[in-house]
Amino acid sequence: MKRIVLTAVAVLISICAFSQKIKIDKGQVLLDGIPIAKVESPVIKEYKISNLDGTNSIMAYMRIGNPYTFIELNNEAINKSNEMNFVKYSPFNVDRSIIQTLFSKGLMTANGIDIEKVNAFLNEAPSGLAAKYGYVKEEVLDAEAQIANSYQLSVDDNGAIYSQKVMKENQALTANSIPAVQQMDNGSNGIIGYVKVTLKNGSIDKYEITDLDNYLIGSWFVYQGSVSGYDKFLNQELITFNKKVFVVKLDNSIVPTDYRMSKDATAMNVVRKLIGNGYTLQHQGSIAATEMRAEQIEKSIANRKATILNSKNIYNKNGYVINEKGEKRIGTITAEFESTKDYSNQITDIGVYGKTVVLKFIDEKGQGKTEIFKSKNGIRFCIEKEGKEECYFGLKTIGNSMAAAESIGSLSFDSTNFYKILYENTGYLVLVNPIVPSDFIIKIPNQEKGLYTNNSSIEKVKKNVTEYAKCDAFVFDNYDFKTLDGLIKVLEDYKKNCVK
């Protein structure tokens, strides 16, 4: 059991070390999400790697030794090859394992393939891994058959799957008094999993292959099989737990009235297909589950970071706050205008956004302090952004019935919000909703509230502006209320005609 846990931990640590940097997506090598090279596999276990523009093309071959798998690297342009060990090997992500190895050896960088270093490695003295690991190139058998053959497989009448290779390895480890191996289930007898057959109307309908921990690794269906998460029928096809599909033809040599699992050629072919494609059973399910959980956590964290990065929110930006007393506090500012949480499984988001700003600062005694300010108190705050000052002002608005409805819907009866200041001149303001860049607000000094100018018809807006300005000497015709320049013009002309 200790060996299982240690293996799972090792897999998790390895994932954390590599997966945040390197991904393979639709034939492209991504480094931190940026394409840097191409990889394709025209033949099983063979990988063509090149720069994005197709230059510096090299070949990487997955070679199956005994007991280790390694890489043979080749550059046809100089007709040279050499071999290297995998830095990290996953049978489910062979292409990524190869790319990770090339990166670790400096043969690939953020700029793609370093062909000079590749050629230097190929011109070194041969590593001799093929001879060391007993690799014999077989032209007749493909890589899949080589792997399956190396396991020396058999199935007994009870459905237990045996591997002479695994049995010998475990017996050797047990002989060396490794406690973790001595405690392993079926460790020394070579059982690596189980196959279960399902009959329908006296004929074979389905096989299910499980590992030693009863994880379902693969299912084979004779006709119109279906599994959750896969939208096609399966006909003489094998589907794995990670939704890889392989064709395995039904062998009709079995006589149902004299059925014995040990003589079932189809069952053996299904097992061989799994083993030959990297599904080695034993305790694979628990390890894969650990790897999947780690990748899900990584994906969740990456999605969360991307959501925050792409939001309109402000996080820990240098700036200052001017409170209701006119006092200025300098520090780092955080303000949320929208949710960055995943509410896909909830009916609605009842969070309150755009109404508070958090300031972290150092007081006169040198102590770190945190203070929260609310928009309803007429707070102004500013942040440094791209070398400029960007300011926000807490304000109650009229002319926008949706804002009032949203405040009630979020269980907040505060109808004020922080709005970004786009223009300011002696108390005349043009502001904008941080979330909706087309929602403009104007404010004049003699009005406590701001007025939305583009959430109604043009006639309604003119009526609202006339009532808001309270100036009979100024007629708001032929003005553009939907652009920043247009609203600045409105305020300037208002000052000329209405302010004495």
Side-chain angles (χ1 to χ4, degrees), residues 92 216-219 227 238-246 273-274 277 279:
F92 308 114
L216 181 62
I217 304 300
S219 300
V227 297
L238 166 69
I239 186 168
T240 65
F241 66 89
N242 56 345
K243 301 300 184 288
K244 297 286 183 69
V245 177
F246 304 94
K273 180 64 71 172
L274 283 173
N277 285 279
Y279 298 87

Side-chain angles (χ1 to χ4, degrees), residues 404-420:
E406 288 172 359
S407 294
I408 295 173
S410 64
L411 303 182
S412 169
F413 296 98
D414 175 12
S415 59
T416 66
N417 280 89
F418 281 110
Y419 298 96
K420 184 164 71 172

Side-chain angles (χ1 to χ4, degrees), residues 45 79 160 164 201 235 268 280 311 334 388 398 427 434 460 473:
K45 314 305 180 191
N79 195 26
Q164 293 294 317
N201 298 325
N235 298 294
M268 175 56 72
T280 53
S311 74
T334 294
K388 297 181 181 179
I398 57 176
K460 179 67 173 176

Side-chain angles (χ1 to χ4, degrees), residues 15 50 81 87 100 180 193 286 315 329 411 433 492:
I15 290 167
S50 65
S81 297
V87 172
Q100 289 170 342
S286 60
Y315 294 100
R329 300 271 179 84
L411 303 182
N433 185 332
E492 289 176 345

Side-chain angles (χ1 to χ4, degrees), residues 2 6 38 93 107 151 221 227 242 282 291 357 435 457:
K2 292 180 181 178
L6 290 174
K38 296 189 295 186
N93 297 287
L107 306 186
Y151 273 74
F221 298 86
V227 297
N242 56 345
Q282 301 175 79
E291 185 175 9
V357 57
I435 304 301
S457 67

Side-chain angles (χ1 to χ4, degrees), residues 53 82 149 159 213 220-222 260 317 372 425 463 483:
D53 60 3
N82 208 341
N149 285 350
D213 303 309
W220 178 93
F221 298 86
V222 67
R260 293 175 62 189
K317 295 290 186 181
I372 299 174
N425 187 358
K463 180 176 181 295
T483 66

